[in-house]
Amino acid sequence: MLAQAGPARPWELTGTDFPVLGDRDEQLRYIAQYAALAPSTHNTQPWVFAVADGALEVFANRTRSLPICDPRDRELTISSGAAVQFAWLAGRSYGYEVAVDLLPDRRNPDLLARIRLGEPRLACWAESRRFQAIPDRHTNRSAVKPLTPTKLRTLERLASLARGHSAVFRLVADGIVIGKVAELVARADRIQMADSSCRRELARWVRPQVAGDGMSLASFGLPDSWSHPAATLLQRLDAGRVTARKHEALIRSAPWLGLLACAEDTPISWLSTGRALADILLELTSNGLVASFANQPIEVPTLRSELAKSLGEPGQPQMLMRIGMADPVAPAGRRDIEQLFVTS
């Protein structure tokens, strides 16, 4: 049985009703529920699914793109890569080999991945632990706290998870470097907020939880009821200085920053980066840690290279995040899975 309709239901997956005796199509539709819980920029959930010829197909939904902040659909593709990895982990944890074919059809660039379940095979403990963290993983935009000594061991595993997807994950704890990054984030905020079209694009995705997508102020630790008024103000006012000060303070107070990068800047690299991002976020979640994104200097082309230089990264920066411990916040809205299926 698929998850029931309603914005809160998708987070209530327990996994106990997986159709073990069902056919492949039923099983693939089931694991798509986990893919739909993947992180996405502004919680746009820019994907749709289809089940065809014994495979789960993941398509880009470009009606949910961000043409101002993400004109190449780079972040859209990374988000979709995370959804692919969530599906992979679900398939593995239900006891199957899982084959993933990225960009399988050159004639259809919107078909980002094709996922098939293969022969029975038990998942390893680390895979199962990350899978079990999927319903608990939420972006937490509040201030993060320092890690306890036992939590620091978690960070040691993140770089190897990224390498498994041909990506690089770089951790930063040096206060001077974090200060430089904080300044870049603030500069990017001022640039983006000065652009009225950028503000309108952002405001479009500031929504109450009942919408099932977008960013509720509840994920910032504020009342959900403030979401509509905040979106209206965002469209009308250049809040660049206020936003820059707030985000700069959040970056400076973060005990750790993490940067995901890759050698190339192509759709296949973005998908792989998204898969790495999924594993990293779930590893953090399974160990009681949270992450929040600060991708503004990556979204501003003139600042992207400065960010790479500040962090000593020769590759292409893709995702920047704060890492630490934090008080829990409400999960973002999610659309009902039945809204996400199309006919291939």
Side-chain angles (χ1 to χ4, degrees):
M1 180 182 295
L2 292 174
Q4 298 178 37
R9 294 291 185 185
W11 293 110
E12 297 175 8
L13 278 171
T14 63
T16 56
D17 54 349
F18 177 75
V20 177
L21 301 179
D23 60 26
R24 276 289 189 264
D25 287 1
E26 290 178 273
Q27 294 174 338
L28 290 167
R29 288 180 69 87
Y30 189 93
I31 69 171
Q33 294 178 100
Y34 288 96
L37 296 182
S40 58
T41 303
H42 297 352
N43 192 27
T44 52
Q45 302 168 47
W47 44 64
V48 289
F49 307 114
V51 173
D53 299 323
L56 175 65
E57 296 179 329
V58 181
F59 292 87
N61 183 349
R62 301 195 194 275
T63 66
R64 293 175 164 263
S65 66
L66 303 170
I68 306 301
C69 291
D70 187 29
R72 299 175 64 197
D73 283 346
R74 180 184 59 83
E75 292 184 10
L76 179 152
T77 308
I78 291 173
S79 300
S80 299
V84 169
Q85 187 63 9
F86 275 31
W88 185 89
L89 283 167
R92 289 288 298 114
S93 294
Y94 284 117
Y96 295 95
E97 290 276 9
V98 184
V100 175
D101 191 5
L102 299 178
L103 299 178
D105 187 348
R106 293 184 180 181
R107 299 166 299 177
N108 186 359
D110 288 344
L111 177 54
L112 301 180
R114 188 173 281 136
I115 302 166
R116 297 184 187 275
L117 300 182
E119 295 299 316
R121 180 192 170 193
L122 291 177
C124 71
W125 175 76
E127 292 167 350
S128 295
R129 186 187 59 190
R130 291 199 294 276
F131 165 71
Q132 291 167 7
I134 288 176
D136 297 323
R137 185 221 59 83
H138 314 311
T139 298
N140 191 322
R141 297 179 175 86
S142 56
V144 293
K145 308 170 187 177
L147 280 61
T148 61
T150 55
K151 300 292 186 185
L152 287 171
R153 299 194 195 102
T154 303
L155 303 183
E156 298 172 0
R157 296 189 283 270
L158 302 182
S160 63
L161 290 173
R163 285 195 298 272
H165 299 286
S166 301
V168 173
F169 188 71
R170 189 176 300 276
L171 281 164
V172 179
D174 182 274
I176 295 176
V177 177
I178 288 177
K180 292 179 180 178
V181 174
E183 292 173 3
L184 288 174
V185 170
R187 284 171 58 190
D189 276 331
R190 290 191 290 268
I191 291 170
Q192 290 185 324
M193 291 297 101
D195 183 344
S196 60
S197 60
C198 182
R199 295 201 308 274
R200 286 194 298 271
E201 181 174 271
L202 175 59
R204 175 190 172 199
W205 293 102
V206 177
R207 304 175 178 180
Q209 286 176 298
V210 70
D213 56 11
M215 298 177 292
S216 163
L217 290 198
S219 65
F220 294 83
L222 298 171
D224 180 51
S225 59
W226 292 7
S227 299
H228 269 318
T232 301
L233 286 174
L234 184 59
Q235 293 185 65
R236 297 177 179 176
L237 301 175
D238 177 357
R241 291 184 180 180
V242 174
T243 303
R245 283 198 299 269
K246 177 183 177 181
H247 289 164
E248 182 173 4
L250 286 172
I251 296 292
R252 288 186 183 277
S253 65
W256 291 90
L257 298 182
L259 178 73
L260 252 179
C262 54
E264 299 180 343
D265 215 18
T266 62
I268 196 76
S269 295
W270 301 335
L271 286 168
S272 296
T273 296
R275 298 186 70 186
L277 175 67
D279 276 344
I280 286 168
L281 294 179
L282 293 173
E283 185 71 19
L284 292 171
T285 300
S286 68
N287 286 277
L289 304 180
V290 302
S292 179
F293 301 109
N295 293 321
Q296 300 94 308
I298 301 176
E299 295 169 346
V300 177
T302 56
L303 300 182
R304 193 180 185 192
S305 59
E306 288 191 47
L307 176 68
K309 183 178 180 181
S310 295
L311 296 176
E313 174 50 55
Q316 300 289 331
Q318 302 295 346
M319 303 293 285
L320 176 68
M321 66 191 79
R322 296 181 290 122
I323 297 172
M325 302 178 69
D327 296 329
V329 297
R334 277 297 188 276
R335 291 181 292 157
D336 174 33
I337 190 66
E338 292 297 344
Q339 297 175 322
L340 303 180
F341 271 93
V342 297
T343 302
S344 178

